Amino acid sequence: MYSSCLLLLFASSSLVSADVAATITRDGVTSIYGNSFGVPGVEATYDYVVIGGGTAGNTVAARLAQDPANYSVAVIEAGSFYEILNGNYTQVPGYSYTSALSTSDSPHPTAGSLNRWADLVGDQAWAWDNVYPYFKKSCNFTPPNYEKISPSANISFDPDAFIPNAGPLQVSYGNYQYPYGTPFSRGLERLGFRSLAGINSGELIGYSAATSSVDARTATRSSSETAFLQDAAQTTGIKIYPNALAKSILFDNNKRATGVVVQGASALQNITYTLSASREVVLSAGALRNNFSNSTRAFLDTFPSDWPDAEYLPLVYAPFPDNISSTDNYLLIGSALLSTSSRGNMTIRSTDTLDPPIISPNWLLDEGDQEQAVAAFLRIREIAAASGVVESEYEPGANVSTQADILQWLKNNMNLIYHAASSCKMGRANDTTAVVDSHARVRGVSNLRVVDASAFPILPPGQPQAVVCKLFLL
């Protein structure tokens, strides 16, 4: 299991036909009707049963339901719709910043990282040239609108990274860019970083404004639910089972997955029933080298040449003092390490899916990772100083200056950004650590796949949402 860490520093109406299960207005208001939902407690059979209504689960379920073969598809989700649970916190970008509440920046991985993926699993279908068309196919890109975004942002992007009117995932630069972007760009240029024409063309070493999964038309977050699942609800007979916890996967005597035992996940649905799968069960339940030692340099040299070591991102969500005045401004510059050696591990506590697993992230256990973390911290200070807009450092403060002090502060304050991957990794037939093959099929059984970030053989640089939403369209 891989993980990344964040290092802290500073409604209109319309007529609807009887077979349509959802509508979305030009203002982005969605209606999902009752015939899009499965009936809790009633046993049913589908061609495919997808466990998990997250980024991967909704995407693959929609793809299957929209297949010309007209497959019947059910999606089981232990939670509910985030619009119901959190309202504007999950719909309005920047309203909050925790896990799924973020605006979900969507840079693509590098070409070299996906070529490494293809080599590891022995299947060139995963190579950059073969998957790049699917990245383009999955999203509907809106160029920057300088009537809403200040022209001083001077956003550069590669139009060849997108296909006009594709989709359904909305990708844009939003309708607002924070004012620190321009001075930070100048600062990065002074430090020798190269300006990129966007970060969606297989190259990440440099700096650029980041695209986000935001519908610029409605200024709301676009996700696998609002894009893929709702699109399938409008056009297919897909059935959604919210508040439904998958308790176990059923197998016959030939180790063939045949269905899922489901338990209602709310007080009003304290029932257990079975959803059978005539074809397959799809499991999508979720998962600066100047001062480095020779061993750390050698380790970093094992990565593809276009693989960045760290990602830096200025954010407006930052700790600030209690006596802040109306004229004070604070921001946070975060760094995510992308080339770590430490590996976490996970094991089950019991066979009950209600019992959380035992997870050991094992952050910073490797001395090379410690060197990278300190180097990233020092680079953040360089970026802040070169920006011309940062006047002083609030947290942790200039008194934290030695490598030992910096490392200790990082150990006490670093945080995760929920990019766990590879706990059910993909691999070749002779890879004893691989759980699934290059088609995401679980080894040793049949009719069962794992389709989410846990199946990644590696965690490519960039944001995993982009990989999950697009690569699993293959």
Side-chain angles (χ1 to χ4, degrees):
M1 181 184 70
Y2 295 71
S3 61
S4 298
C5 60
L6 185 67
L7 312 181
L8 298 180
L9 184 60
F10 289 31
S12 63
S13 61
S14 60
L15 294 176
V16 181
S17 62
D19 59 345
V20 173
T23 61
I24 183 167
T25 72
R26 60 189 301 174
D27 297 319
V29 178
T30 302
S31 299
I32 299 181
Y33 304 136
N35 56 330
S36 281
F37 295 92
V39 181
V42 176
E43 301 195 347
T45 298
Y46 299 91
D47 291 321
Y48 292 91
V49 176
V50 178
I51 303 174
T55 303
N58 289 336
T59 303
V60 72
R63 175 67 186 273
L64 289 169
Q66 292 169 333
D67 190 280
N70 196 30
Y71 296 126
S72 58
V73 179
V75 183
I76 305 169
E77 168 54 42
S80 182
F81 290 86
Y82 59 76
E83 298 93 333
I84 298 173
L85 297 175
N86 294 297
N88 281 347
Y89 282 96
T90 46
Q91 290 183 280
V92 178
Y95 197 88
S96 184
Y97 185 74
T98 57
S99 66
L101 309 186
S102 71
T103 56
S104 300
D105 294 338
S106 56
H108 296 165
T110 64
S113 66
L114 290 185
N115 291 338
R116 165 73 66 88
W117 179 320
D119 291 340
L120 287 172
V121 304
D123 189 344
Q124 291 305 304
W126 295 99
W128 172 259
D129 287 343
N130 293 324
V131 303
Y132 190 32
Y134 291 92
F135 280 87
K136 298 180 180 182
K137 177 182 177 181
S138 67
C139 61
N140 191 341
F141 173 65
T142 301
N145 181 353
Y146 288 116
E147 292 182 0
K148 297 182 178 180
I149 298 173
S150 171
S152 65
N154 193 27
I155 296 172
S156 178
F157 64 92
D158 179 7
D160 292 335
F162 307 97
I163 299 174
N165 302 316
L169 185 70
Q170 298 295 321
V171 172
S172 72
Y173 292 95
N175 294 329
Y176 177 76
Q177 292 285 309
Y178 291 108
Y180 55 67
T182 299
F184 270 96
S185 294
R186 289 196 294 262
L188 290 167
E189 184 179 10
R190 294 188 194 106
L191 292 173
F193 287 85
R194 184 166 59 93
S195 176
L196 299 178
I199 47 178
N200 303 93
S201 304
E203 188 176 9
L204 291 178
I205 298 180
Y207 67 91
S208 173
T211 50
S212 295
S213 49
V214 171
D215 188 340
R217 181 190 58 177
T218 59
T220 55
R221 183 174 183 262
S222 184
S223 69
S224 65
E225 182 255 302
T226 63
F228 295 97
L229 186 64
Q230 290 187 16
D231 187 51
Q234 293 178 60
T235 58
T236 76
I238 194 170
K239 297 299 181 185
I240 306 166
Y241 288 82
N243 300 311
L245 176 68
K247 292 293 293 180
S248 62
I249 298 173
L250 301 174
F251 293 87
D252 63 15
N253 293 333
N254 296 317
K255 296 183 179 181
R256 175 183 178 274
T258 60
V260 181
V261 176
V262 182
Q263 177 179 306
S266 72
L268 299 178
Q269 294 183 12
N270 188 19
I271 49 179
T272 300
Y273 54 101
T274 297
L275 297 181
S276 299
S278 60
R279 297 183 68 89
E280 289 185 355
V281 174
V282 180
L283 182 58
S284 301
L288 355 180
R289 309 185 180 188
N290 292 339
N291 299 314
F292 290 161
S293 64
N294 290 335
S295 60
T296 301
R297 288 172 180 266
F299 171 72
L300 293 176
D301 286 340
T302 65
F303 289 83
S305 59
D306 64 357
W307 189 303
D309 298 331
E311 175 184 357
Y312 300 93
L313 187 66
L315 302 168
V316 295
Y317 315 100
F320 53 84
D322 295 334
N323 61 347
I324 187 172
S325 74
S326 59
T327 59
D328 292 332
N329 293 282
Y330 288 80
L331 78 156
L332 173 152
I333 305 176
S335 175
L337 302 182
L338 306 177
S339 308
T340 55
S341 175
S342 301
R343 293 291 178 266
N345 58 73
M346 180 176 68
T347 186
I348 60 173
R349 190 182 304 269
S350 73
T351 58
D352 189 341
T353 55
L354 284 172
D355 289 339
I358 301 171
I359 303 173
S360 299
N362 294 336
W363 295 328
L364 298 186
L365 292 186
D366 180 80
E367 290 187 6
D369 292 352
Q370 297 174 9
E371 292 178 19
Q372 291 187 64
V374 171
F377 180 99
L378 295 174
R379 176 65 89 179
I380 287 175
R381 282 182 166 168
E382 290 182 358
I383 294 171
S387 70
V389 297
V390 175
E391 296 179 354
S392 62
E393 179 182 315
Y394 166 61
E395 179 73 25
N399 61 311
V400 178
S401 57
T402 68
Q403 291 207 0
D405 288 344
I406 292 171
L407 180 60
Q408 188 59 50
W409 185 87
L410 291 172
K411 288 181 176 179
N412 294 337
N413 292 276
M414 62 184 289
N415 206 343
L416 78 166
I417 51 176
Y418 305 99
H419 289 179
S422 306
S423 54
C424 296
K425 64 171 283 191
M426 183 181 295
R428 296 171 181 260
N430 61 355
D431 183 352
T432 58
T433 66
V435 176
V436 301
D437 64 15
S438 65
H439 296 278
R441 297 174 298 204
V442 176
R443 298 188 184 281
V445 299
S446 62
N447 291 53
L448 178 63
R449 297 181 198 245
V450 177
V451 181
D452 56 21
S454 65
F456 290 9
I458 54 176
L459 181 61
Q463 300 295 318
Q465 173 188 274
V467 183
V468 168
C469 275
K470 293 153 191 177
L471 289 193
F472 288 125
L473 291 176
L474 284 167

